């Protein structure tokens, strides 16, 4: 990346902190970056999947303005982005754009095809924008949406310098709160203020929309949302309903809206307001942002408000999770406290694997993670989520890389899938699980090597097909351990028989041999490259898939079986000389032969 300009690097900064939780690798660059001549006004494209929410296909433009933009400049950027996206959707004049945009656009559009997703146009500008100009720019954006049918269906997001600085600080330094403030209560004519207390640490009341707008303008970049499980993200259907209530039905807003929840270290009712210390909005960010941006005029209105005195980050995470209607409880969340998940987490700690079974925690990055094992060391332990582990098991053991990649939610939502992954005693083989996690980490490390030397197609196979590479390795190991009869497969085209034969038997023990030579890393890297070649050849060998993108090719189990495995069997396994050389070159680092008399695995040595 050394040759990139500051303007170009700024794109990667925005991606890193807004869509990748402060992480960035060369693999990310290859997958998302489109900036350059003929980029159609789009600097990067990514699929953003916030926990338990509808994924967004994000098209972003990032600008390091030397001068402050005019209010009409920003809507023109959105219109240019839409024109480019539409060209690809109707397949018209696409060759006018640069090769990176063509490739990355095609892969992303294919990746979301057939799924429930939203499209989001995002503009980042790193320039000083005062409150009045920001308001004018947002008004121009809304006017453009109203005048243009093309922009109506997009989520439109506008992110300024203060928001960027704040997001970077939040990721790098941890979250903060507003040190001290107050919120005014709402009172209808001739009625007293109403406050309902719950014990010593909770109260429910009605607050002033105008005063909430004041808090938003004063503290939106200084802690007001810092304890929220996520920053406000547009949701067109919900936004439109809230804005309609603000504009046309203020009197009934209290009935129509769930209101907000404020967490604080302390509170004190004081006449017509509530004094607050170390406070933050943990639910209702969407309502607050829309009131802050769109409420105009002198007519105040009522908003329900719950205030909680508690600084336990884990407890507040549970409150936010349970009360947030946008952030529905997922099947994965429901399984987080299941006995088998807790038991597996403890078992894996014996092999220095930290299994994340709970998501959505809040709190400063540097604070102690209460779920973390006491002797955890990030440099020596492996760390993986239960969903990621499920994906590895589906791909490697059960030979279902398509499901693992494209339908990972089924790991927790489909009972049969969950049962075979987490309620199967044969799976709780610690040596197997440890070595499988290590194999995947080797593959990720290989992908993130900036000097990997792959061509563009090979990079795409690696980017979208890591779970397929694992599946192929699992296939070879299962063949050598006599857990798969590939000759049976070659004599039968019934996909159900293939599925049963591939996934029925589970390998046990460490998948790696006790290999003592110093060329282990080179052998493994060469194996990855060899399998990438298998997949690339399988894609190009059949007319019916050769013109599809790799993300589309690497999406389903039947394609894996029909095109990749069949080709491997016919071109490799059935050729005695070819397969003998393959085993000697690549499989000697694995435990591939079971010695029944000694009850142990032995490698080719």
């Amino acid at each position: 990346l050394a040759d990139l300009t500051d303007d170009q690097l700024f794109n990667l900064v925005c991606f890193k902190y807004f869509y990748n939780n402060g992480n960035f690798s060369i693999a990310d660059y290859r997958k998302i970056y489109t900036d350059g001549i003929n980029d159609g006004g789009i600097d990067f494209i990514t699929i953003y999947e916030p926990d338990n929410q509808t994924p967004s296909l994000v098209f972003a433009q990032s600008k390091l303005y030397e001068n402050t933009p005019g209010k009409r400049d920003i809507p023109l950027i959105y219109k240019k982005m839409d024109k480019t996206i539409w060209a690809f959707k109707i397949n018209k004049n696409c060759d006018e754009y640069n090769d990176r945009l063509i490739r990355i656009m095609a892969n992303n559009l294919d990746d979301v095809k057939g799924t429930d997703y939203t499209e989001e146009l995002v503009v980042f500008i790193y320039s000083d924008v005062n409150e009045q100009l920001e308001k004018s720019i947002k008004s121009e954006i809304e006017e453009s949406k109203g005048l243009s049918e093309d922009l109506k269906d997009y989520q439109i997001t506008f992110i300024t310098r203060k928001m960027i600085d704040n997001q970077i600080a939040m990721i790098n330094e941890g979250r903060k709160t507003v040190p001290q403030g107050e919120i005014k209560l709402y009172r209808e004519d001739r009625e007293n203020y109403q406050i309902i207390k719950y014990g010593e640490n909770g109260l429910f009341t009605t607050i002033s929309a105008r005063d909430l707008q004041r808090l938003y303008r004063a503290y939106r970049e200084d802690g007001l949302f810092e304890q929220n499980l996520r920053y406000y993200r547009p949701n067109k259907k919900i936004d439109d309903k809230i804005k309609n209530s603000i504009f046309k039905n203020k009197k009934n807003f209290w009935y129509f809206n769930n209101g907000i929840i404020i967490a604080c270290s302390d509170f004190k009712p004081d006449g017509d307001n509530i004094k607050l210390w170390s406070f933050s909005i943990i639910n209702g960010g969407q309502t607050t942002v829309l009131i802050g941006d769109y409420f105009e005029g002198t007519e105040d209105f009522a908003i329900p408000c719950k205030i909680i005195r508690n600084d336990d980050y884990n407890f507040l995470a549970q409150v936010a999770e349970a009360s947030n209607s946008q952030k529905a409880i997922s099947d994965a969340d429901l399984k987080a406290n299941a006995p088998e998940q807790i038991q597996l987490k403890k078992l894996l700690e014996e092999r220095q694997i930290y299994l994340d079974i709970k998501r959505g925690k809040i709190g400063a990055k540097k604070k102690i993670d209460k779920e973390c094992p006491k002797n955890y060391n990030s440099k020596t332990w492996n760390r993986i989520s239960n969903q990621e582990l499920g994906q590895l098991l589906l791909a490697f053991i059960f030979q279902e890389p398509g499901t693992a990649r494209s339908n990972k939610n089924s790991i927790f939502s489909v009972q049969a899938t969950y049962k075979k992954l987490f309620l199967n005693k044969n799976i709780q083989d610690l040596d197997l699980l440890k070595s499988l996690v290590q194999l995947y980490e080797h593959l990720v490390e290989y992908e993130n090597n900036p000097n990997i030397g792959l061509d563009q197609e090979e990079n795409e196979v690696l980017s979208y097909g890591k779970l397929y590479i694992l599946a192929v390795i699992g296939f070879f190991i299962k063949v050598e351990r006599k857990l798969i009869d590939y000759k049976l497969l070659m004599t039968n085209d019934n996909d159900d028989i293939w599925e049963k034969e591939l996934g029925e038997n589970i390998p046990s023990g460490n998948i790696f041999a006790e290999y003592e030579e110093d060329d282990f890393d080179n052998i493994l890297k060469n194996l990855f490259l060899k399998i990438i070649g298998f997949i690339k050849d399988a894609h190009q060998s059949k007319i019916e898939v050769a013109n599809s993108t790799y993300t589309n090719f690497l999406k389903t189990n039947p394609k894996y079986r029909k095109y990749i495995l069949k080709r491997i069997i016919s071109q490799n396994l059935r050729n005695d000389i070819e397969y003998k050389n393959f085993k000697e070159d690549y499989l000697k680092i694995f435990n591939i032969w079971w010695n029944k008399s000694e009850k142990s695995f032995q490698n080719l040595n």
Side-chain angles (χ1 to χ4, degrees), residues 464-482:
Y464 298 105
K466 287 189 291 294
L467 292 169
Y468 282 72
I469 295 171
L470 285 186
V472 171
I473 294 174
F475 172 74
F476 280 120
I477 291 176
K478 291 180 81 171
V479 165
E480 286 303 308
R481 294 189 182 183
K482 310 301 182 192

Side-chain angles (χ1 to χ4, degrees), residues 98-129:
N98 70 48
D99 290 341
R100 283 194 307 273
L101 178 68
I102 293 171
R103 172 179 55 81
I104 292 172
M105 178 73 78
N107 276 314
N108 278 280
L109 289 176
D110 266 356
D111 218 9
V112 297
K113 189 180 294 183
T115 66
D116 182 24
Y117 72 99
T118 61
E119 290 183 329
E120 185 174 356
L121 304 184
V122 185
V123 172
F124 296 89
I125 63 167
Y126 202 70
S127 176
D128 291 321
V129 176

Side-chain angles (χ1 to χ4, degrees), residues 234-260:
N235 184 314
K236 189 175 186 302
K237 292 181 181 179
I238 298 175
D239 286 3
D240 288 348
K241 289 179 182 178
I242 296 176
K243 286 191 283 187
N244 185 64
S245 295
I246 294 171
F247 294 141
K248 300 179 181 179
N249 204 355
K250 294 184 178 69
K251 288 185 178 180
N252 288 324
F253 193 92
W254 193 93
Y255 299 105
F256 295 159
N257 190 273
N258 289 332
I260 67 171

Side-chain angles (χ1 to χ4, degrees), residues 560-587:
Y560 167 67
R561 297 189 281 262
K562 180 178 179 180
Y563 298 108
I564 298 173
L565 288 190
K566 275 195 173 183
R567 185 171 178 83
I568 287 173
I569 292 171
S570 62
Q571 300 290 322
N572 188 281
L573 287 175
R574 297 182 73 186
N575 185 323
D576 292 341
I577 296 176
E578 173 72 21
Y579 191 50
K580 179 177 181 294
N581 292 335
F582 178 83
K583 288 199 293 186
E584 290 176 352
D585 289 342
Y586 305 112
L587 298 188

Side-chain angles (χ1 to χ4, degrees), residues 109 119 167 223 319 338 350 445 447 495 578 600:
L109 289 176
E119 290 183 329
Q167 178 77 352
V319 173
E350 297 176 18
E445 183 181 344
E447 182 188 26
D495 197 57
E578 173 72 21
S600 65

Side-chain angles (χ1 to χ4, degrees), residues 420-474:
K420 72 181 180 182
L421 294 176
F422 295 111
L423 296 174
N424 187 338
K425 291 184 178 180
N426 293 324
I427 293 294
Q428 293 186 359
D429 181 327
L430 298 185
D431 290 330
L432 172 66
L433 295 177
K434 176 72 173 182
S435 56
L436 179 56
V437 172
Q438 289 175 327
L439 175 61
Y440 184 67
E441 290 190 349
H442 281 297
L443 182 54
V444 172
E445 183 181 344
Y446 176 70
E447 182 188 26
N448 290 330
N449 183 347
N451 302 313
I452 196 171
L454 301 182
D455 64 28
Q456 188 55 59
E457 286 192 75
E458 290 167 339
N459 270 319
E460 290 195 23
V461 173
L462 181 56
S463 179
Y464 298 105
K466 287 189 291 294
L467 292 169
Y468 282 72
I469 295 171
L470 285 186
V472 171
I473 294 174

